[in-house]
Amino acid sequence: MTHLSDERQNKILNYRQDKDRIRSLYSSILIRLTLMRIYKCKNTDLKFKIGKYGKPFLSNDNKIKFNLSHSEDYIFLGISEKLIGVDIEKIRHYDNAIIYNCFHPLEIDYIQKARNKDLAFCIVWTRKEAYFKCIGTGLSKEIKHINTLNPGKSFTIKTNLIDSYAYSICLYESN
């Protein structure tokens, strides 16, 4: 913990459950070790800042973008020279009300037509989270207006499965 900023230490300590504190600590260590390897630098050379909506970034270099997500047994780290957002979620039963509050009509249709609705929900949810994390706003009031099954030519979203988890990565292709 002493290798992390005071802000990050406080964030980790504010989690209620030990498993959440441990996941957050491991995520911090993973990103630091990875960036130290990329930049061939010491931990103390890495300076992080937090964007308006809570997305961390390196304050002393804007070449590398990164994003983290964790869910139970997994930590997902995405690193790119492009804007990036990632999300991973354990596939579980979903609350039907969420789809009407958060999803685009075509995403709702996709879930309703799916054979495995829990899987379809998780796929759309991870795509939605990855998209909004990529643009750096977090989930916003625009959530229902974005169709992550067809996000437009500037965005690429890929989704895969591992064990009982779905994970998505979103990249923004600027012109």
Side-chain angles (χ1 to χ4, degrees), residues 23 26 41 57-58 73 85 90 92 120 133 136 145 171 174:
R23 249 193 311 268
Y26 286 175
C41 69
F57 62 95
L58 281 175
D73 297 332
K90 185 169 181 72
R92 60 186 179 280
K133 288 171 77 177
H145 303 293
L171 294 171
S174 61

Side-chain angles (χ1 to χ4, degrees), residues 7-22:
E7 282 180 351
R8 189 65 188 171
Q9 288 180 41
N10 288 333
K11 182 176 182 175
I12 291 168
L13 293 173
N14 282 330
Y15 282 106
R16 291 182 188 172
Q17 297 186 355
D18 285 342
K19 65 182 182 178
D20 294 325
R21 284 192 287 271
I22 291 167

Side-chain angles (χ1 to χ4, degrees), residues 94-126:
Y94 70 95
D95 179 354
N96 206 33
I98 293 173
I99 68 172
Y100 297 104
N101 291 326
C102 298
F103 293 163
H104 184 277
L106 293 174
E107 294 170 331
I108 295 169
D109 188 54
Y110 170 80
I111 293 168
Q112 290 176 334
K113 289 180 178 175
R115 187 173 292 153
N116 183 336
K117 292 180 179 11
D118 293 335
L119 173 60
F121 171 86
C122 199
I123 287 170
V124 173
W125 185 260
T126 61

Side-chain angles (χ1 to χ4, degrees), residues 49-64:
K49 285 200 174 183
I50 305 296
K52 180 178 178 183
Y53 298 98
K55 186 174 182 178
F57 62 95
L58 281 175
S59 61
N60 51 342
D61 183 6
N62 61 3
K63 180 180 172 190
I64 299 291

Side-chain angles (χ1 to χ4, degrees), residues 35-172:
L35 291 173
M36 287 166 53
R37 176 177 278 168
I38 289 170
Y39 287 107
K40 297 174 180 42
C41 69
K42 295 184 273 186
N43 181 45
T44 54
D45 295 333
L46 298 173
K47 305 294 181 209
F48 294 91
K49 285 200 174 183
I50 305 296
K52 180 178 178 183
Y53 298 98
K55 186 174 182 178
F57 62 95
L58 281 175
S59 61
N60 51 342
D61 183 6
N62 61 3
K63 180 180 172 190
I64 299 291
K65 279 67 169 178
F66 62 90
N67 196 234
L68 281 164
S69 179
H70 44 78
S71 178
E72 296 191 25
D73 297 332
Y74 286 93
I75 298 171
F76 182 18
L77 169 62
I79 295 181
S80 176
E81 290 184 357
K82 300 173 183 169
L83 289 177
I84 188 170
V86 301
D87 191 49
I88 186 166
E89 297 289 337
K90 185 169 181 72
I91 300 165
R92 60 186 179 280
H93 184 68
Y94 70 95
D95 179 354
N96 206 33
I98 293 173
I99 68 172
Y100 297 104
N101 291 326
C102 298
F103 293 163
H104 184 277
L106 293 174
E107 294 170 331
I108 295 169
D109 188 54
Y110 170 80
I111 293 168
Q112 290 176 334
K113 289 180 178 175
R115 187 173 292 153
N116 183 336
K117 292 180 179 11
D118 293 335
L119 173 60
F121 171 86
C122 199
I123 287 170
V124 173
W125 185 260
T126 61
R127 293 172 72 86
K128 189 77 72 174
E129 284 264 6
Y131 174 89
F132 281 97
K133 288 171 77 177
C134 179
I135 63 174
T137 63
L139 298 176
S140 71
K141 63 183 178 180
E142 300 297 316
I143 191 169
K144 291 171 60 171
H145 303 293
I146 302 298
N147 175 10
T148 60
L149 298 173
N150 185 11
K153 65 180 181 178
S154 296
F155 291 91
T156 301
I157 305 176
K158 299 289 183 188
T159 304
N160 284 301
L161 305 174
I162 185 169
D163 298 331
S164 57
Y165 293 80
Y167 63 95
S168 294
I169 182 168
C170 178
L171 294 171
Y172 177 70

